Amino acid sequence: MGHTTANKQQLINRVRRIAGQVEAIERSLMEEADCSVTLQRVAAARGAINGLMDEIVEDHLREHVAKPGLTDEQRAAGAEELVAVIRRYNK
Amino acid sequence: MGHTTANKQQLINRVRRIAGQVEAIERSLMEEADCSVTLQRVAAARGAINGLMDEIVEDHLREHVAKPGLTDEQRAAGAEELVAVIRRYNK
Amino acid sequence: MGHTTANKQQLINRVRRIAGQVEAIERSLMEEADCSVTLQRVAAARGAINGLMDEIVEDHLREHVAKPGLTDEQRAAGAEELVAVIRRYNK
Amino acid sequence: MGHTTANKQQLINRVRRIAGQVEAIERSLMEEADCSVTLQRVAAARGAINGLMDEIVEDHLREHVAKPGLTDEQRAAGAEELVAVIRRYNK
């Protein structure tokens, strides 16, 4: 992704926290926890993945569309990748 | 927005249809229509405005970030406008 | 909707503010305003309609599913109306 | 959650598939995969968790609000749990 190493590590840590949240959902289902606990855990994981999505979209926009020095073709390709993701998933 | 006249007219027509959908919500509230009718009308208007949002974001991305011939500063400004909108409203 | 008159008037006022926001989008398109103004207005209208949707869903849930005194059939019908709206529009 | 064993197992399988999707995001970051691959994987995981959220909300609505035989207090509590989740996360 052309990220700096620090930013990459930060993103990986963020994804690992989401993995932990998804595991907590599984645990609450297996342990027959109170349904409202499951509901809150799913909602929390969803919020976290929405935040991750926003960050990945922002990175992509800056690195693959706006960045100085890219060719017109690279910018067009980067923009169309974003458009495809918006169209398929944002509705 | 630097749109062609045809695209601009299309966007305006789309916004007018949404205005009609919002009026229909008001009517269903005033006429004390069945609650499920109101619910469906709000959901339909919401779907339509989400679609409009996606289209405006795509236009902005193409015209103000990816377009050949823009300066680095114009691209950076266009990208940050998108980031601001994503951060404020996408959650 | 079985709402009190005060709550109904509040909802209608809220819908009218959204109508005003949609008109502002149309104006910014017709006046060829700065694209970032249009973008912010669409995002604001979208936020407002999402908030309205949440309120209508909450009202429906309380009045047509949870309310004491409803029959089992009325509750089931109210719940399925919500499920239909969630399935069609939440993705 | 008062689910049948079959439905519970189905939900757990669904959560495990999401866990696999989150792992795939981590892998694409660690392997410095093409940014558009990461973007698509995040978008796919987000779609899957939105779908899970809708299913958990529907289950909660049917089992803890609409279900015949609940007390008025149980229904009110179940409805308010849903309202809290909608308010905190749906915006």
Side-chain angles (χ1 to χ4, degrees):
Chain A
M1 293 179 85
H3 296 302
T4 60
T5 310
N7 188 21
K8 187 187 142 180
Q9 193 53 51
Q10 211 175 33
L11 274 174
I12 289 172
N13 291 345
R14 196 165 176 170
V15 175
R16 283 186 185 152
R17 278 196 298 277
I18 294 174
Q21 290 178 294
V22 173
E23 265 175 57
I25 299 171
E26 189 184 331
R27 261 197 328 274
S28 69
L29 286 168
M30 296 198 64
E31 296 164 2
E32 308 263 3
D34 189 327
C35 181
S36 76
V37 171
T38 309
L39 192 60
Q40 282 168 38
R41 287 181 179 175
V42 176
R46 184 193 180 214
I49 210 160
N50 279 340
L52 175 69
M53 177 82 185
D54 288 350
E55 190 171 328
I56 299 274
V57 163
E58 290 176 25
D59 284 349
H60 188 94
L61 179 61
R62 291 197 182 105
E63 294 294 314
H64 299 285
V65 194
K67 198 177 186 175
L70 297 177
T71 66
D72 289 349
E73 288 69 28
Q74 287 173 318
R75 292 185 207 286
E80 292 319 304
E81 284 164 1
L82 278 182
V83 167
V85 160
I86 290 169
R87 290 220 181 136
R88 266 179 69 196
Y89 297 100
N90 228 22
K91 282 160 199 181
Chain B
M1 294 180 83
H3 296 302
T4 59
T5 311
N7 188 21
K8 187 186 142 180
Q9 193 53 50
Q10 211 174 33
L11 275 174
I12 290 172
N13 292 344
R14 196 164 175 171
V15 175
R16 283 185 186 151
R17 278 195 299 276
I18 294 173
Q21 290 177 293
V22 173
E23 265 175 56
I25 299 170
E26 189 184 331
R27 258 194 332 272
S28 70
L29 287 168
M30 297 198 64
E31 294 165 3
E32 309 262 4
D34 189 327
C35 182
S36 75
V37 171
T38 310
L39 192 60
Q40 283 168 36
R41 287 182 179 175
V42 176
R46 184 193 180 214
I49 210 159
N50 280 341
L52 176 68
M53 178 80 184
D54 288 349
E55 190 171 328
I56 299 274
V57 163
E58 290 176 24
D59 283 349
H60 189 92
L61 178 61
R62 291 197 182 105
E63 294 294 314
H64 298 285
V65 194
K67 198 177 185 175
L70 297 177
T71 65
D72 288 349
E73 287 70 28
Q74 287 173 319
R75 292 185 208 286
E80 293 318 305
E81 284 163 1
L82 278 182
V83 166
V85 160
I86 289 168
R87 291 218 180 137
R88 267 178 71 195
Y89 297 100
N90 229 22
K91 282 158 199 181
Chain C
M1 294 180 82
H3 296 301
T4 59
T5 309
N7 188 22
K8 187 187 143 180
Q9 192 53 50
Q10 211 175 34
L11 275 173
I12 290 172
N13 292 345
R14 196 164 176 171
V15 175
R16 283 186 185 152
R17 278 195 300 276
I18 293 173
Q21 290 177 294
V22 174
E23 265 174 57
I25 299 170
E26 189 184 331
R27 256 192 337 269
S28 69
L29 287 168
M30 296 199 64
E31 295 164 2
E32 308 263 4
D34 189 327
C35 183
S36 75
V37 171
T38 310
L39 192 60
Q40 283 169 37
R41 286 183 179 175
V42 176
R46 185 193 180 215
I49 210 159
N50 280 340
L52 176 68
M53 178 80 185
D54 288 349
E55 191 171 327
I56 299 274
V57 163
E58 290 176 26
D59 283 350
H60 189 93
L61 179 60
R62 291 197 181 104
E63 293 294 315
H64 298 286
V65 193
K67 197 177 186 175
L70 297 177
T71 65
D72 288 348
E73 287 70 27
Q74 286 174 319
R75 291 186 208 285
E80 292 318 305
E81 283 163 2
L82 278 182
V83 167
V85 160
I86 290 169
R87 290 221 180 134
R88 267 179 70 195
Y89 297 99
N90 228 22
K91 282 161 199 180
Chain D
M1 295 180 84
H3 295 302
T4 59
T5 310
N7 188 22
K8 187 187 144 181
Q9 192 53 50
Q10 210 174 34
L11 274 174
I12 289 172
N13 292 344
R14 196 164 176 171
V15 174
R16 283 184 186 153
R17 277 195 300 276
I18 294 173
Q21 290 178 294
V22 173
E23 266 174 56
I25 298 170
E26 189 185 331
R27 255 191 339 268
S28 70
L29 286 168
M30 296 197 64
E31 296 164 1
E32 309 262 6
D34 189 327
C35 182
S36 76
V37 171
T38 310
L39 192 60
Q40 283 169 36
R41 286 183 179 175
V42 177
R46 183 192 181 216
I49 210 160
N50 279 341
L52 176 68
M53 177 81 184
D54 288 349
E55 190 170 328
I56 299 275
V57 163
E58 289 177 26
D59 284 349
H60 189 93
L61 179 61
R62 291 197 182 106
E63 293 295 315
H64 298 285
V65 193
K67 198 177 185 174
L70 297 176
T71 65
D72 287 350
E73 287 70 27
Q74 287 173 319
R75 292 185 206 285
E80 292 318 305
E81 284 163 2
L82 279 182
V83 167
V85 160
I86 290 169
R87 290 221 180 134
R88 267 179 70 196
Y89 297 99
N90 227 23
K91 282 158 198 179

